[in-house]
Amino acid sequence: LPELDIAVYMKTATEVGGDYYDFHLSEDNVLTTVIGDATGHGLNAGMMVSITKGLFQNLAGMPDLELSFKQFNKSIYSMGIQPLLMGLNAVRIKNRKLEIINAGMPEVYFYEKEKGVVVEIESSGPPLGSLAEFPYKLAFTSDIKPGDIILLMSDGFTERFNEQNEMFGCERCKNIFLNNALSTPKEIIDNLLKEEILWGGNRAPDDDITFVVIKCN
């Protein structure tokens, strides 16, 4: 979409990662973006990512985001693969209208340029596959205007530990995002990663790190 600038980044902590992101653009220019985090690591997490990708391709085109999320959840639950679960954020942009559902993932950050503030959109339900009939609802709706930015991420970034066993945390991430809100999506990700490297030092990453940044032009 010409009115959107998008950047993505993924770094896995092990050979087979459990993080996932994907995009779906419908024929009428509705963009649906997801970012997810499967429970655990290795082959089981990779299997959940594969399942989620297949379901997303089939369900992303549904016009009702809440209904597609409920179907997504029911499909994963019916497979009976618990305790494997999938945390998932979904963002839909249609005619400069924004919808967000957050299921068991870190906060989504939405920068509103007019107000110069970052809105935190918290999880509105458990990870997919937890409960068969959970009533997932939209966690956030808004108009999206030029200069507004959406930051999606997995918890590997905010839960990054340093050599003193201290966690990076959400507040530090939010402040970095706010201080770089006039930058491009790629520059925002680059600056977040610079801080992650400085923070982590010589300690190996404990988890996968994934970012999706969407900026409205």
Side-chain angles (χ1 to χ4, degrees), residues 15-159:
E15 187 173 342
V16 179
D19 278 9
Y20 163 71
Y21 70 86
D22 214 336
F23 300 90
H24 179 275
L25 183 62
S26 69
E27 293 181 358
D28 54 347
N29 281 337
V30 177
L31 178 68
T32 305
T33 305
V34 290
I35 182 171
D37 186 0
T39 53
H41 300 282
L43 292 176
N44 284 340
M47 179 181 71
M48 177 58 86
V49 168
S50 297
I51 291 169
T52 303
K53 184 174 183 64
L55 289 170
F56 177 71
Q57 295 304 319
N58 287 322
L59 298 173
M62 292 178 66
D64 187 320
L65 188 60
E66 287 183 351
L67 188 60
S68 69
F69 229 68
K70 291 170 186 174
Q71 186 58 52
F72 218 131
N73 174 65
K74 182 181 282 188
S75 297
I76 291 177
Y77 184 86
S78 68
M79 293 177 187
I81 54 177
Q82 295 80 6
L84 289 179
L85 305 171
M86 190 74 186
L88 199 71
N89 275 325
V91 170
R92 176 165 287 175
I93 299 173
K94 178 181 180 181
N95 298 327
R96 293 191 179 267
K97 298 287 185 181
L98 174 66
E99 297 178 342
I100 297 176
I101 292 182
N102 183 345
M105 288 289 286
E107 293 92 336
V108 177
Y109 291 135
F110 178 54
Y111 172 72
E112 294 187 66
K113 186 179 179 183
E114 277 189 1
K115 298 178 182 178
V117 298
V118 173
V119 179
E120 298 179 43
I121 301 140
E122 297 182 351
S123 177
S124 51
L128 301 182
S130 302
L131 301 167
E133 300 291 340
F134 190 84
Y136 289 98
K137 300 291 185 183
L138 293 175
F140 185 77
T141 59
S142 176
D143 294 330
I144 185 167
K145 301 173 183 176
D148 291 351
I149 311 170
I150 305 150
L151 170 60
L152 302 162
M153 61 187 164
S154 61
D155 61 10
F157 181 74
T158 55
E159 295 181 4

